């Protein structure tokens, strides 16, 4: 007889997998529109940008920091690139992408410099930067959207097309970009000396400094990496919707942060995984998609998401407390 203890997950990813399975089965029973290949592909593509943001944010969380300004960085980058393309003849796709990544990286590094050099709490700095960047963008542009974008940024590209019976499907470019970013992040954090140093800084910053790790440079890299991912996510968002709307991305930062925390990332640093982060993103995506399909109010939807996040954080902190408890005979 199979023991139930063998089914108990041994990792955060295992718990998330069980939760995802239960949620997917539940929505599949409640509506026949949920478990269709087209809906799942649309769902994956819809949350690809959030996945890119979450992977960048995860690198910052690993170091024990936090950054709320990535959506504003993405908005600024996509507006700058679109403006240069429309009004100043920037026509090179490769040059535009590299310029976008460079701008995003610099904006991310500014956060790191303010946090590390001025010894200001990261969440205070990044909320201020988010307000500053978004406010300047809306003030300078009057909130005007851009539509006359270059073809390379808006023309749909057929990526990994496939057929099931007589139905034709494809895995879209946003998903491919997200998977590429996930692979890069996984290699960085799990297969490089730099990745081990990032986890060490998040585990105990003072101990990391004492053994010779250059904490300031690692923070500079982590926040710059998130800035680069914000820029990539911003361009992918433009590709998906075919327009640049200044305030389209700002406001979803907490969902991205929640996804990373659901995936096992600790707000204290030093924990989490790339796979868990992606699972957290798509758990939130599945919940929102499924609740929408069964006609649940968007207000109640926020309640459900909030309950799931609180439950995940509670379980994570309970496990951490149990791991650090010391017994006395």
């Amino acid at each position: 007889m199979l023991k139930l203890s063998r089914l108990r997950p041994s990792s955060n990813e295992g718990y998330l997998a069980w939760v995802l399975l239960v949620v997917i089965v539940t929505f599949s029973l409640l509506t026949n529109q949920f478990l269709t290949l087209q809906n799942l592909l649309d769902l994956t593509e819809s949350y690809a940008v959030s996945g890119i943001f979450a992977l960048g944010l995860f690198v910052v969380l690993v170091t024990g920091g936090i950054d709320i300004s990535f959506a504003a960085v993405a908005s600024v980058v996509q507006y700058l690139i679109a403006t240069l393309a429309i009004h100043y003849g920037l026509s090179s796709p490769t040059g535009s992408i590299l310029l976008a990544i460079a701008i995003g990286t610099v904006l991310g590094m500014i956060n790191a410099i303010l946090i590390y050099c001025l010894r200001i709490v990261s969440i205070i700095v990044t909320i201020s930067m988010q307000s500053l960047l978004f406010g300047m963008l809306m003030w300078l542009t009057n909130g005007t959207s851009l539509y006359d974008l270059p073809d390379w940024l808006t023309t749909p590209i057929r990526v990994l097309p496939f057929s099931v019976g007589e139905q034709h499907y494809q895995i879209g470019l946003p998903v491919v970009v997200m998977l590429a970013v996930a692979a890069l992040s996984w290699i960085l954090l799990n297969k490089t000396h730099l990745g081990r140093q990032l986890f060490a800084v998040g585990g105990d910053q003072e101990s990391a400094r004492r053994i010779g790790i250059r904490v300031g440079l690692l923070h500079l890299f982590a926040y710059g990496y998130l800035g680069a991912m914000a820029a990539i996510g911003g361009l992918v968002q433009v590709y998906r919707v075919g327009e640049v709307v200044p305030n389209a991305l700002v406001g979803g930062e907490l969902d991205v942060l929640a996804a990373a925390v659901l995936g096992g990332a600790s707000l204290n640093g030093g924990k989490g995984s790339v796979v868990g982060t992606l699972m957290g993103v798509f758990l939130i995506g599945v919940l929102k998609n499924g609740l929408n399909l069964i006609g649940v109010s968007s207000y109640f939807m926020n309640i459900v998401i909030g309950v799931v996040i609180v439950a995940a954080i509670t379980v994570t902190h309970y496990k951490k407390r149990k791991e650090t408890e010391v017994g006395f005979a």
Side-chain angles (χ1 to χ4, degrees), residues 1-298:
M1 184 177 178
L2 181 65
K3 294 183 179 180
L4 291 178
S5 59
R6 294 182 179 179
L7 298 177
R8 182 183 300 168
S10 58
S11 65
N12 187 76
E13 291 83 357
Y15 282 102
L16 265 181
W18 274 111
V19 173
L20 270 169
L21 179 62
V22 169
V23 171
I24 288 171
V25 170
T26 300
F27 285 132
S28 300
L29 295 175
L30 292 175
T31 172
N32 57 11
Q33 299 177 49
F34 177 77
L35 199 60
T36 64
L37 186 53
Q38 188 61 60
N39 182 59
L40 295 179
L41 288 173
D42 290 343
L43 171 64
T44 305
E45 184 160 326
S46 297
Y47 281 86
V49 173
S50 294
I52 294 169
F53 289 159
L55 290 165
L57 178 59
F58 172 57
V59 174
V60 172
L61 291 173
V62 162
T63 66
I66 190 171
D67 190 341
I68 305 298
S69 68
F70 56 86
V73 170
S75 300
V76 168
V77 168
Q78 62 181 207
Y79 209 97
L80 279 174
I81 296 300
T83 300
L84 290 173
I86 295 170
H87 299 292
Y88 298 97
L90 181 63
S91 58
S92 169
T94 302
S96 300
I97 293 170
L98 291 176
L99 178 60
I101 292 174
I103 295 170
T105 301
V106 169
L107 291 175
M109 286 181 169
I110 291 173
N111 281 331
I113 292 170
L114 292 173
I115 292 165
Y116 189 75
C117 294
L118 301 180
R119 299 292 191 271
I120 304 175
V121 178
S122 58
I123 193 168
I124 301 293
V125 171
T126 57
I127 288 177
S128 301
M129 184 63 74
Q130 188 267 358
S131 180
L132 173 65
L133 291 175
F134 183 60
M136 287 184 64
L137 178 64
M138 295 300 289
W139 175 56
L140 293 173
T141 65
N142 290 319
T144 304
S145 299
L146 302 177
Y147 303 100
D148 189 19
L149 303 175
D151 292 339
W152 67 265
L153 192 53
T154 57
T155 302
I157 300 173
R158 290 183 60 81
V159 181
L160 301 177
F162 63 97
S163 299
V164 177
E166 297 182 354
Q167 298 295 318
H168 302 287
Y169 306 95
Q170 70 167 336
I171 297 175
L173 181 61
V175 178
V176 174
V177 174
M178 181 194 68
L179 293 176
V181 169
L184 175 63
S185 302
W186 185 86
I187 292 170
L188 167 69
L189 293 170
N190 296 280
K191 298 297 181 181
T192 67
H193 182 60
L194 176 61
R196 290 188 287 273
Q197 288 185 325
L198 290 169
F199 274 104
V201 169
D204 191 327
Q205 183 169 306
E206 187 56 37
S207 295
R209 183 181 288 107
R210 288 178 179 177
I211 63 174
I213 294 176
R214 304 183 71 175
V215 175
L217 288 179
L218 288 177
H219 277 109
L220 200 65
F221 173 83
Y223 284 89
Y225 186 83
L226 173 54
M229 294 305 108
I232 293 171
L235 293 182
V236 171
Q237 172 71 5
V238 176
Y239 169 83
R240 284 193 63 246
V241 301
E243 60 185 9
V244 176
V245 181
N247 60 350
L249 293 173
V250 174
E253 296 89 346
L254 292 183
D255 276 356
V256 174
L257 176 60
V261 173
L262 280 172
S266 170
L267 296 179
N268 296 319
K271 289 186 178 295
S273 71
V274 167
V275 173
T277 299
L278 288 180
M279 292 175 73
V281 170
F282 289 105
L283 174 57
I284 289 179
V286 166
L287 282 169
K288 287 191 172 183
N289 178 255
L291 291 170
N292 181 61
L293 288 175
I294 63 176
V296 171
S297 163
S298 60

